[in-house]
Every structure is written in C-alpha cells, then in structure tokens.
Amino acid sequence: MSANTYEALNAKVGRRSFMKMAAVATAFGVTSSFASTPATRAATEEEIKNPFPGSKMVKSICTACSVGCGVIAEVQNGVWVRQEVAQDHPVSLGGHCCKGADMIDMVRSEVRVKHPMVKKDGQWKRISWDEALNGIASKLEDLRQKDGPDSVMFLGSAKFNNEQAYYYRKFAAMFGTNNIDHQARI
C-alpha cells in the first residue's frame, strides 16, 4: 500500500462531508446492493398474520419518564415479545419518543435489577423484600433519631395521581419534614 493510499484511508471525514458522501452513495444505489443479501427471506403469510401464536395484547403505560404514554405489549407465555404504540391513548396520541420505542429492550434486559440487592463485602447479594423494607425503615428511623427529621428528603413521582401524591405528602409530614419534591417533566 502506498503512502498516499494509507493517508487517504486515515483521513478524517467531517460530519458534513460524510453526509454528502452518504447522499451520493444513496443516489447511486450503493445501499440497495447490501439490502439484497441472501441472509434474509420474505416472511410467510402466516408469520405476518400471527407471528406469536397464542399471545395476548396488554395495554400498559410507558415507564421511561413521567409523561405516561400508552404502550400495547404483546405477551406470550408471560414474556413481553413485541410492542406497539397505543393509538387511542389520550397522552401519547399514537406516538412514542425513542425511549418509549425501546421500552421492550429495557424490560427484557439481562442486566435489569429484578430483586432487592445489597452490597456486602464488595459483592452484590440478593435479599428478600422484607429484609429490604426493614433495612430502609431502620435507616430512616436512625436518621430521624440522630439528625432530626429534616435530615431526610422525600422525592415523589410525577406519575403519582392526586391521591398518591396526597398520601406521600402525608407520609413526609408524619415523618416530621417539609422536605418533599418530585421530578415532573411536564
């Protein structure tokens, strides 16, 4: 390989130049040659009509942020296999952001925490829900006894409905603090 060829391969391409090259490549049909590889096949009529036999559609709410968009999850044998946008949902009006469109991947992730965990001796260890709740309650009580109730802040959720927000505020007041907020984005 000549020095000029090597320099040409290692030349930095700016975003604008890359976009121009991509437009030229698309205009000349470069991408269509990659799309017609024998690695894919056309779906059968049955696969298009019913890709997950025996599945059921479950209406749910996207949990990515506090807006509350509608999601229709297709569930087969207790596993979320596909999702669609809830076209009739009053909040999302048939649309999703990129986070909502990717919700299924978050739910099915192998690294998602599904159980209470505690770090002991540098290692994460699974604990029971009772052990987790008792640990949190005892830590809150220790903080209130040692440093007073204002040493704690309660952070609510913008997904709370009116009644949930009311009870959460009452809980903070019962604890003895006015330190309460939430993370509303709308």
Side-chain angles (χ1 to χ4, degrees):
M1 183 181 316
S2 72
N4 289 343
T5 307
Y6 184 75
E7 286 176 22
L9 288 174
N10 285 330
K12 290 190 177 184
V13 177
R15 181 181 177 278
R16 190 173 183 86
S17 300
F18 176 80
M19 296 302 283
K20 286 178 182 177
M21 289 187 295
V24 169
T26 303
F28 287 110
V30 173
T31 55
S32 64
S33 64
F34 294 112
S36 60
T37 63
T40 60
R41 66 170 177 78
T44 65
E45 287 294 321
E46 180 59 29
E47 288 172 331
I48 292 171
K49 190 175 87 178
N50 192 8
F52 298 102
S55 64
K56 63 180 182 175
M57 305 302 263
V58 178
K59 283 189 175 185
S60 187
I61 303 294
C62 176
T63 59
C65 73
S66 58
V67 174
C69 298
V71 174
I72 299 177
E74 188 169 351
V75 179
Q76 183 183 40
N77 298 327
V79 177
W80 188 352
V81 292
R82 192 168 60 167
Q83 79 179 39
E84 294 180 17
V85 177
Q87 296 294 331
D88 60 345
H89 196 273
V91 174
S92 55
L93 302 173
H96 267 320
C97 67
C98 59
K99 293 177 189 171
D102 199 31
M103 186 54 51
I104 188 171
D105 293 332
M106 187 188 81
V107 170
R108 296 178 63 183
S109 172
E110 292 296 321
V111 296
R112 178 178 176 216
V113 177
K114 300 174 186 163
H115 309 283
M117 306 285 281
V118 67
K119 197 170 194 177
K120 290 184 181 175
D121 301 325
Q123 297 292 319
W124 287 102
K125 178 185 168 201
R126 182 176 168 180
I127 59 174
S128 71
W129 285 101
D130 286 339
E131 195 176 350
L133 291 173
N134 289 336
I136 293 167
S138 97
K139 180 67 175 174
L140 281 172
E141 185 57 30
D142 289 347
L143 284 169
R144 184 166 61 176
Q145 294 298 326
K146 181 181 167 203
D147 300 319
D150 284 336
S151 64
V152 174
M153 179 186 177
F154 291 88
L155 181 63
S157 170
K159 289 188 179 183
F160 282 174
N161 63 28
N162 240 9
E163 290 78 16
Q164 291 167 327
Y166 174 80
Y167 289 128
Y168 197 70
R169 173 65 189 108
K170 285 292 187 182
F171 179 76
M174 179 219 51
F175 189 81
T177 186
N178 284 327
N179 297 338
I180 186 165
D181 202 350
H182 64 99
Q183 45 76 350
R185 298 179 194 162
I186 56 174

